[in-house]
Amino acid sequence: MIAVASDHGGLELKQAICELLKKRTLDFCDMGTHDGSSVDYPDFGIKVATAVAAGECLSGILICGTGIGMSIAANKVNGIRAALVHDSFTAQMAKEHNNANVLVLGGRVLGVAEGCRLVEVWLDSQFEGGRHQGRLDKIQQIENDQK
Ligand code: RB5
């Protein structure tokens, strides 16, 4: 199950991504926002991040205007590796090297077609493990040390 959410700045791209996930017959949960009225991105970032951190969803996709606010908010949750990506290289690396469990996109930065393409690259890439796992373990240790 993939958790998906956006604010008003990412609504159009979110709708296109939901269509893409439907086409790929992937299970997803659209956690809002559902119309174009102005909302606060942290309210939606936290929904997706907590669902992923709790194991209710395997991964998440978040979209706001730039992607910056959503990535800051989601990365506050322990266990979340939210990656803001801008092109196919960063989308691929976000999975291969960082095993990003939340993909973040800027709806006012990317066109709908490009945003959907980056989702496909991230979905189709595989975490490489090895030395990268050791680095992720160090990030998790930083989070554990904050408790
Ligand atoms: C909303 O206007 C905008 O600030 C938001 O979508 C996002 O870009 C924040 O980082």
Side-chain angles (χ1 to χ4, degrees):
M1 177 72 80
I2 303 173
V4 186
S6 75
D7 71 355
H8 52 289
L11 180 63
E12 188 189 1
L13 179 53
K14 177 175 70 75
Q15 286 166 336
I17 289 169
C18 289
E19 288 307 312
L20 167 72
L21 297 176
K22 258 186 229 166
K23 252 185 231 154
R24 288 184 57 142
T25 62
L26 292 169
D27 284 336
F28 68 96
C29 175
D30 181 351
M31 299 182 162
T33 188
H34 297 296
D35 63 52
S37 50
S38 182
V39 291
D40 297 333
Y41 59 81
D43 297 339
F44 294 88
I46 192 76
K47 284 187 194 184
V48 165
T50 53
V52 173
E56 291 159 15
C57 293
L58 191 64
S59 59
I61 300 172
L62 286 168
I63 311 108
C64 62
T66 59
I68 295 171
M70 283 294 199
S71 55
I72 293 171
N75 278 315
K76 296 294 179 194
V77 176
N78 195 329
I80 293 302
R81 295 178 302 280
L84 171 57
V85 306
H86 294 293
D87 50 35
S88 58
F89 178 70
T90 50
Q92 183 183 340
M93 288 300 109
K95 182 67 78 57
E96 289 186 357
H97 287 194
N98 309 110
N99 201 17
N101 49 12
V102 176
L103 181 75
V104 189
L105 301 166
R108 292 173 179 158
V109 179
L110 301 165
V112 162
E114 178 67 353
C116 288
R117 195 172 74 86
L118 301 190
V119 170
E120 298 216 76
V121 169
W122 174 72
L123 287 172
D124 294 339
S125 299
Q126 302 298 323
F127 179 48
E128 287 178 357
R131 68 187 189 283
H132 303 296
Q133 183 59 58
R135 292 161 186 166
L136 298 186
D137 291 343
K138 289 189 176 190
I139 293 173
Q140 187 59 55
Q141 192 58 52
I142 294 169
E143 289 188 332
N144 295 344
D145 291 346
Q146 307 291 308
K147 284 182 188 165

PDB file of all heavy atoms in Angstrom, residues 4 8 12 22-23 25 45 78 84 106 111 125 129 137:
ATOM      1  N   VAL A   4      -0.517   8.426  -0.283  1.00  0.00           N
ATOM      2  CA  VAL A   4      -0.294   9.592  -1.152  1.00  0.00           C
ATOM      3  C   VAL A   4      -1.025  10.784  -0.567  1.00  0.00           C
ATOM      4  O   VAL A   4      -2.175  10.657  -0.125  1.00  0.00           O
ATOM      5  CB  VAL A   4      -0.844   9.314  -2.577  1.00  0.00           C
ATOM      6  CG1 VAL A   4      -0.495  10.462  -3.515  1.00  0.00           C
ATOM      7  CG2 VAL A   4      -0.319   8.004  -3.133  1.00  0.00           C
ATOM      8  N   HIS A   8      -2.616  22.024  -1.560  1.00  0.00           N
ATOM      9  CA  HIS A   8      -3.229  22.596  -2.761  1.00  0.00           C
ATOM     10  C   HIS A   8      -2.205  22.808  -3.879  1.00  0.00           C
ATOM     11  O   HIS A   8      -2.533  22.703  -5.056  1.00  0.00           O
ATOM     12  CB  HIS A   8      -3.927  23.922  -2.416  1.00  0.00           C
ATOM     13  CG  HIS A   8      -3.030  24.876  -1.681  1.00  0.00           C
ATOM     14  ND1 HIS A   8      -2.632  24.660  -0.371  1.00  0.00           N
ATOM     15  CD2 HIS A   8      -2.424  26.021  -2.072  1.00  0.00           C
ATOM     16  CE1 HIS A   8      -1.826  25.649   0.000  1.00  0.00           C
ATOM     17  NE2 HIS A   8      -1.680  26.484  -1.013  1.00  0.00           N
ATOM     18  N   GLU A  12      -2.861  18.937  -8.401  1.00  0.00           N
ATOM     19  CA  GLU A  12      -2.991  18.467  -9.790  1.00  0.00           C
ATOM     20  C   GLU A  12      -2.058  17.281 -10.046  1.00  0.00           C
ATOM     21  O   GLU A  12      -2.458  16.271 -10.638  1.00  0.00           O
ATOM     22  CB  GLU A  12      -2.672  19.623 -10.753  1.00  0.00           C
ATOM     23  CG  GLU A  12      -2.967  19.274 -12.195  1.00  0.00           C
ATOM     24  CD  GLU A  12      -2.453  20.342 -13.178  1.00  0.00           C
ATOM     25  OE1 GLU A  12      -1.857  21.349 -12.737  1.00  0.00           O
ATOM     26  OE2 GLU A  12      -2.640  20.128 -14.385  1.00  0.00           O
ATOM     27  N   LYS A  22      -3.282   3.695 -10.250  1.00  0.00           N
ATOM     28  CA  LYS A  22      -4.439   2.869 -10.641  1.00  0.00           C
ATOM     29  C   LYS A  22      -4.093   2.054 -11.884  1.00  0.00           C
ATOM     30  O   LYS A  22      -4.363   0.863 -11.954  1.00  0.00           O
ATOM     31  CB  LYS A  22      -5.632   3.785 -10.982  1.00  0.00           C
ATOM     32  CG  LYS A  22      -6.677   3.864  -9.884  1.00  0.00           C
ATOM     33  CD  LYS A  22      -7.874   4.678 -10.370  1.00  0.00           C
ATOM     34  CE  LYS A  22      -8.215   5.712  -9.307  1.00  0.00           C
ATOM     35  NZ  LYS A  22      -9.131   6.761  -9.780  1.00  0.00           N
ATOM     36  N   LYS A  23      -3.500   2.738 -12.879  1.00  0.00           N
ATOM     37  CA  LYS A  23      -3.142   2.071 -14.135  1.00  0.00           C
ATOM     38  C   LYS A  23      -2.173   0.925 -13.892  1.00  0.00           C
ATOM     39  O   LYS A  23      -2.228  -0.104 -14.553  1.00  0.00           O
ATOM     40  CB  LYS A  23      -2.492   3.083 -15.090  1.00  0.00           C
ATOM     41  CG  LYS A  23      -3.386   3.459 -16.249  1.00  0.00           C
ATOM     42  CD  LYS A  23      -2.670   4.361 -17.236  1.00  0.00           C
ATOM     43  CE  LYS A  23      -3.535   5.579 -17.514  1.00  0.00           C
ATOM     44  NZ  LYS A  23      -2.812   6.771 -17.923  1.00  0.00           N
ATOM     45  N   THR A  25      -2.113  -0.824 -11.312  1.00  0.00           N
ATOM     46  CA  THR A  25      -2.822  -1.702 -10.353  1.00  0.00           C
ATOM     47  C   THR A  25      -2.061  -1.838  -9.030  1.00  0.00           C
ATOM     48  O   THR A  25      -1.974  -2.916  -8.453  1.00  0.00           O
ATOM     49  CB  THR A  25      -3.153  -3.100 -10.959  1.00  0.00           C
ATOM     50  OG1 THR A  25      -1.951  -3.771 -11.300  1.00  0.00           O
ATOM     51  CG2 THR A  25      -4.072  -2.976 -12.156  1.00  0.00           C
ATOM     52  N   GLY A  45       1.612  16.005   5.335  1.00  0.00           N
ATOM     53  CA  GLY A  45       2.904  15.312   5.424  1.00  0.00           C
ATOM     54  C   GLY A  45       2.920  14.333   6.592  1.00  0.00           C
ATOM     55  O   GLY A  45       3.401  13.202   6.459  1.00  0.00           O
ATOM     56  N   ASN A  78      10.319   9.672  13.006  1.00  0.00           N
ATOM     57  CA  ASN A  78      11.353   8.651  13.160  1.00  0.00           C
ATOM     58  C   ASN A  78      11.151   7.522  12.145  1.00  0.00           C
ATOM     59  O   ASN A  78      10.050   6.984  12.028  1.00  0.00           O
ATOM     60  CB  ASN A  78      11.281   8.109  14.604  1.00  0.00           C
ATOM     61  CG  ASN A  78      12.531   7.319  14.972  1.00  0.00           C
ATOM     62  OD1 ASN A  78      13.148   6.686  14.120  1.00  0.00           O
ATOM     63  ND2 ASN A  78      12.897   7.370  16.233  1.00  0.00           N
ATOM     64  N   LEU A  84      13.278  14.555  -1.604  1.00  0.00           N
ATOM     65  CA  LEU A  84      12.762  15.503  -2.596  1.00  0.00           C
ATOM     66  C   LEU A  84      13.594  15.345  -3.861  1.00  0.00           C
ATOM     67  O   LEU A  84      14.813  15.535  -3.832  1.00  0.00           O
ATOM     68  CB  LEU A  84      12.872  16.931  -2.048  1.00  0.00           C
ATOM     69  CG  LEU A  84      12.578  18.073  -3.015  1.00  0.00           C
ATOM     70  CD1 LEU A  84      11.184  17.966  -3.616  1.00  0.00           C
ATOM     71  CD2 LEU A  84      12.752  19.416  -2.308  1.00  0.00           C
ATOM     72  N   GLY A 106       7.729  18.474  -6.211  1.00  0.00           N
ATOM     73  CA  GLY A 106       7.216  19.845  -6.226  1.00  0.00           C
ATOM     74  C   GLY A 106       6.240  20.020  -7.373  1.00  0.00           C
ATOM     75  O   GLY A 106       6.635  20.008  -8.542  1.00  0.00           O
ATOM     76  N   GLY A 111       6.283  19.556 -14.336  1.00  0.00           N
ATOM     77  CA  GLY A 111       5.039  19.329 -15.067  1.00  0.00           C
ATOM     78  C   GLY A 111       4.443  17.996 -14.626  1.00  0.00           C
ATOM     79  O   GLY A 111       5.142  17.166 -14.016  1.00  0.00           O
ATOM     80  N   SER A 125      12.982   1.366  -9.327  1.00  0.00           N
ATOM     81  CA  SER A 125      14.369   1.222  -8.874  1.00  0.00           C
ATOM     82  C   SER A 125      14.413   0.345  -7.623  1.00  0.00           C
ATOM     83  O   SER A 125      13.422   0.219  -6.903  1.00  0.00           O
ATOM     84  CB  SER A 125      14.973   2.598  -8.561  1.00  0.00           C
ATOM     85  OG  SER A 125      14.972   3.405  -9.722  1.00  0.00           O
ATOM     86  N   GLY A 129      21.473  -1.734  -1.091  1.00  0.00           N
ATOM     87  CA  GLY A 129      21.973  -2.329   0.154  1.00  0.00           C
ATOM     88  C   GLY A 129      23.473  -2.107   0.314  1.00  0.00           C
ATOM     89  O   GLY A 129      24.025  -1.089  -0.116  1.00  0.00           O
ATOM     90  N   ASP A 137      21.882   3.016   8.481  1.00  0.00           N
ATOM     91  CA  ASP A 137      21.921   2.628   9.903  1.00  0.00           C
ATOM     92  C   ASP A 137      22.447   3.793  10.749  1.00  0.00           C
ATOM     93  O   ASP A 137      21.979   4.015  11.869  1.00  0.00           O
ATOM     94  CB  ASP A 137      22.818   1.407  10.111  1.00  0.00           C
ATOM     95  CG  ASP A 137      22.217   0.140   9.493  1.00  0.00           C
ATOM     96  OD1 ASP A 137      20.999   0.128   9.192  1.00  0.00           O
ATOM     97  OD2 ASP A 137      22.986  -0.828   9.304  1.00  0.00           O
TER      98      ASP A 137
END
